[in-house]
Amino acid sequence: MSYSNKNSRTRKRTINPTSKESFKQNCRPFYDFSKDNFKTKKKILKDFKCKKNKDKKDLLYFKRSDKESEYNFISKKQLQDNLCLSKYNEYSKSNSNSNSNSNSNSNSNLTLEDLLSNCSTDQFKDINKDYVNLMKYIDELSDKLDVNEQIRNFIEDLVEYTNINIYGIKEIFNGAFVIVKGDNGYFYNKYKCFGRVCNTRKKIAESSHDSLYKDSQYRMGSGVLYNCDTSKNNCKLDTQSKSDIFDLLVGTSPIEHFYGDTWIQFEYANIKGFKNKYLLHGYSFIKYKYYGKNVGPLGISEYTEYTKPLILEICNELCGREICEPIKCISSKIDLKDYSTKFISKNRVNLTDYKLLKDYVKKNFGLNISLTEVNDDIEDNIDISEDKYDFTVSSKIPIELIKQLKKIKVYLEQIISDTKYEREQMIELMFLILYYVVKGGSKTNNIKELKQKIKSRYTSNSSKSSSNDFFSAKSSFN
């Protein structure tokens, strides 16, 4: 705040740099980072939208300056705890008085009531009609007493925290294999073991899907799942299309492009009881084998784990860190089918190669394996001449896999060790090597990165069958 009179010199109050930096981080919607200045009141009111939920509560969203047509949620508590409005009124006026070239704000203070004006349930209809319709569908779910609360919350979180649309919801209910890219296991950890006993690792797996060794996949199907009727281009709850035997599988991806990200799949039947586990679950597996499509509780889907996953994207950019703390957001509707296909092709993710590699490890090794054993097994299936590798097709390995192993062996020879890893860990390791084989660029740099990732991921929790870590074992790392 500045004070002036006709006969005295204007006194200027400078803003403490530390306080200003704290304000920028905690009250982001009020600061223009591109201009390194406080926003005008007019700009702030334009950037804020207020959505009224089913319980008549007013929820505030602000437009991200670095992303077109995306609005992030901000709680009134966050505004109050950080004194965003009072500090903005003080700092912006002080800044305006000290900078004659700055755009002046209105003389009136910015208030919470200003931000909460024009609240409505259809606030984001022009930005993403699917979002509005999906939220109405979720509100309808909450009125159904036979819907499990955690399943409802899970679906709502998908709508609030990702770029999912009605097409995506329908595919999920049809059994699509879905990866939430960039969530670093947020969904997995939030719902882990909720309501049902966590699946422990078993010698006979209850699922063909792959999850990270540290993140044993679990099931949380319960209650009734109601379909989304899209006949009128919305998402009306359909009481005639439902399932009370469905399951929801949740795990984390071992593929490097999605490493640690949550994957989910709604299955046709759960495994509670003999009938469901062996008859209904078996029926859906046979149907999957015949059609080559996943069988979900309310239909079939072409989105499968190692051919064509449906890829969603988490809202918040802060999820690039080790711990993901997403913010609810609303963004423009995108073509999820096109988005998923383009991501796979752009990043050269050949899922068939990953499937071949997974099957190779599972068919040819026991439960505890070393990289040295894998290297030896590859050599057993390959004729090595004096000056180059001469590959001959083995009776138990397809030619496509032989070609793949040829490239992998070049990297494998640089990291072999006698440290024992459990089979799921070895699959992760082989996936990681394949990632660097395909990545391109400097082989020296790739091998260096590969070693660092193996060290960070596995030295502190190496296999139970070995007391030595990756680097204390006999290795070519030295």
Side-chain angles (χ1 to χ4, degrees):
M1 183 181 296
S2 62
Y3 304 88
S4 62
N5 58 51
K6 295 179 181 179
N7 301 316
S8 66
R9 197 174 170 185
T10 301
R11 290 189 298 168
K12 301 174 184 176
R13 178 180 174 181
T14 59
I15 302 171
N16 184 295
T18 303
S19 298
K20 182 179 179 181
E21 195 60 36
S22 175
F23 177 85
K24 287 165 62 176
Q25 296 306 315
N26 297 319
C27 308
R28 294 177 65 84
F30 303 89
Y31 199 84
D32 189 333
F33 288 85
S34 64
K35 297 180 180 179
D36 194 21
N37 209 341
F38 298 94
K39 290 182 180 179
T40 63
K41 180 180 176 180
K42 182 179 179 181
K43 174 65 174 171
I44 291 171
L45 293 176
K46 184 179 178 181
D47 287 350
F48 266 87
K49 286 185 180 293
C50 180
K51 184 188 80 167
K52 194 175 290 291
N53 69 6
K54 183 185 178 185
D55 299 324
K56 307 302 180 184
K57 291 183 179 179
D58 297 333
L59 307 177
L60 285 172
Y61 290 78
F62 68 94
K63 187 175 182 180
R64 271 181 61 176
S65 58
D66 60 335
K67 201 165 186 178
E68 191 64 28
S69 299
E70 180 175 309
Y71 286 79
N72 282 355
F73 171 77
I74 187 168
S75 68
K76 285 180 274 189
K77 185 177 185 304
Q78 182 179 340
L79 295 179
Q80 292 164 354
D81 288 350
N82 293 288
L83 304 175
C84 290
L85 288 164
S86 60
K87 286 184 178 180
Y88 168 76
N89 289 323
E90 177 186 355
Y91 292 165
S92 62
K93 288 182 179 180
S94 177
N95 187 67
S96 178
N97 289 331
S98 65
N99 185 356
S100 59
N101 294 321
S102 64
N103 295 322
S104 61
N105 282 310
S106 167
N107 290 327
S108 61
N109 285 336
L110 181 67
T111 66
L112 182 60
E113 287 69 28
D114 291 331
L115 301 179
L116 296 174
S117 62
N118 301 317
C119 258
S120 77
T121 55
D122 294 333
Q123 183 66 261
F124 293 96
K125 190 174 182 179
D126 294 337
I127 295 171
N128 192 333
K129 189 177 179 180
D130 275 22
Y131 170 84
V132 175
N133 285 324
L134 283 170
M135 290 307 298
K136 289 178 180 177
Y137 163 76
I138 290 164
D139 288 340
E140 289 180 296
L141 285 181
S142 64
D143 293 332
K144 294 290 183 180
L145 297 179
D146 52 3
V147 173
N148 180 273
E149 182 181 5
Q150 292 307 312
I151 295 297
R152 179 204 172 277
N153 290 342
F154 193 95
I155 297 170
E156 181 176 12
D157 280 352
L158 283 175
V159 175
E160 293 271 38
Y161 289 112
T162 76
N163 59 348
I164 197 169
N165 53 27
I166 291 176
Y167 171 82
I169 286 289
K170 288 288 288 184
E171 286 298 326
I172 285 176
F173 291 168
N174 287 344
F177 184 87
V178 179
I179 299 173
V180 186
K181 182 172 72 69
D183 91 322
N184 286 341
Y186 171 79
F187 279 91
Y188 175 90
N189 290 308
K190 181 173 182 179
Y191 290 92
K192 186 175 182 180
C193 310
F194 204 102
R196 282 172 64 181
V197 177
C198 249
N199 280 359
T200 56
R201 292 185 177 85
K202 299 179 180 180
K203 291 184 178 180
I204 301 177
E206 293 177 337
S207 165
S208 61
H209 296 305
D210 294 305
S211 185
L212 287 180
Y213 176 80
K214 68 181 181 66
D215 297 332
S216 180
Q217 60 188 278
Y218 58 89
R219 297 171 179 269
M220 57 180 288
S222 183
V224 177
L225 181 68
Y226 287 93
N227 211 346
C228 162
D229 181 5
T230 58
S231 59
K232 295 182 180 180
N233 296 321
N234 53 26
C235 190
K236 188 75 175 174
L237 184 141
D238 188 351
T239 56
Q240 301 303 310
S241 178
K242 59 185 180 179
S243 171
D244 60 0
I245 60 170
F246 76 95
D247 219 340
L248 172 56
L249 268 67
V250 187
T252 54
S253 177
I255 295 177
E256 194 63 23
H257 290 88
F258 314 106
Y259 187 86
D261 292 338
T262 301
W263 62 256
I264 65 170
Q265 189 201 350
F266 277 91
E267 286 194 331
Y268 171 73
N270 57 51
I271 56 173
K272 295 184 285 186
F274 179 87
K275 179 182 177 182
N276 286 9
K277 184 173 183 178
Y278 295 104
L279 298 181
L280 297 179
H281 199 71
Y283 160 77
S284 65
F285 179 75
I286 293 170
K287 198 171 179 180
Y288 159 74
K289 283 293 189 180
Y290 182 80
Y291 289 105
K293 295 182 179 181
N294 278 347
V295 182
L298 302 171
I300 60 175
S301 175
E302 63 183 342
Y303 294 100
T304 58
E305 182 176 11
Y306 283 108
T307 55
K308 185 182 179 182
L310 183 67
I311 301 171
L312 303 181
E313 190 174 64
I314 199 76
C315 285
N316 188 25
E317 73 274 17
L318 294 180
C319 284
R321 302 174 181 177
E322 285 187 12
I323 299 176
C324 176
E325 297 176 357
I327 294 175
K328 295 179 181 180
C329 79
I330 298 136
S331 56
S332 299
K333 177 182 174 181
I334 68 167
D335 186 334
L336 280 179
K337 185 174 185 177
D338 182 64
Y339 175 80
S340 300
T341 302
K342 284 184 175 177
F343 181 88
I344 293 295
S345 60
K346 180 181 178 181
N347 291 279
R348 297 188 296 168
V349 186
N350 191 328
L351 294 166
T352 302
D353 284 350
Y354 284 99
K355 178 69 164 57
L356 281 171
L357 205 51
K358 162 196 168 177
D359 290 343
Y360 164 71
V361 173
K362 286 195 170 184
K363 289 177 182 178
N364 292 278
F365 300 97
L367 296 177
N368 295 291
I369 323 159
S370 71
L371 288 167
T372 301
E373 289 174 300
V374 174
N375 188 65
D376 290 344
D377 187 81
I378 292 175
E379 286 188 346
D380 288 343
N381 291 283
I382 296 171
D383 260 340
I384 303 178
S385 66
E386 291 183 358
D387 57 346
K388 65 177 181 179
Y389 294 120
D390 177 24
F391 295 90
T392 307
V393 179
S394 165
S395 60
K396 63 178 181 178
I397 298 182
I399 185 64
E400 295 83 3
L401 180 58
I402 290 289
K403 292 177 181 178
Q404 187 184 111
L405 293 178
K406 171 185 176 181
K407 299 173 185 176
I408 287 175
K409 192 176 189 325
V410 176
Y411 280 76
L412 187 58
E413 288 174 335
Q414 302 299 314
I415 61 169
I416 55 174
S417 81
D418 293 330
T419 301
K420 293 284 187 176
Y421 296 92
E422 294 203 20
R423 190 162 58 189
E424 289 76 14
Q425 289 178 305
M426 184 56 68
I427 291 173
E428 293 175 27
L429 280 166
M430 296 300 282
F431 281 2
L432 180 59
I433 297 171
L434 179 59
Y435 168 79
Y436 280 104
V437 167
V438 178
K439 181 183 177 184
S442 168
K443 190 177 80 171
T444 301
N445 290 339
N446 285 347
I447 291 173
K448 183 178 179 181
E449 285 183 24
L450 174 60
K451 291 177 179 179
Q452 290 173 341
K453 282 196 175 181
I454 293 174
K455 181 179 180 180
S456 64
R457 289 177 185 174
Y458 301 106
T459 54
S460 60
N461 62 338
S462 55
S463 173
K464 299 173 186 177
S465 59
S466 173
S467 60
N468 296 322
D469 66 29
F470 190 86
F471 290 93
S472 62
K474 180 182 177 182
S475 171
S476 62
F477 272 55
N478 300 322

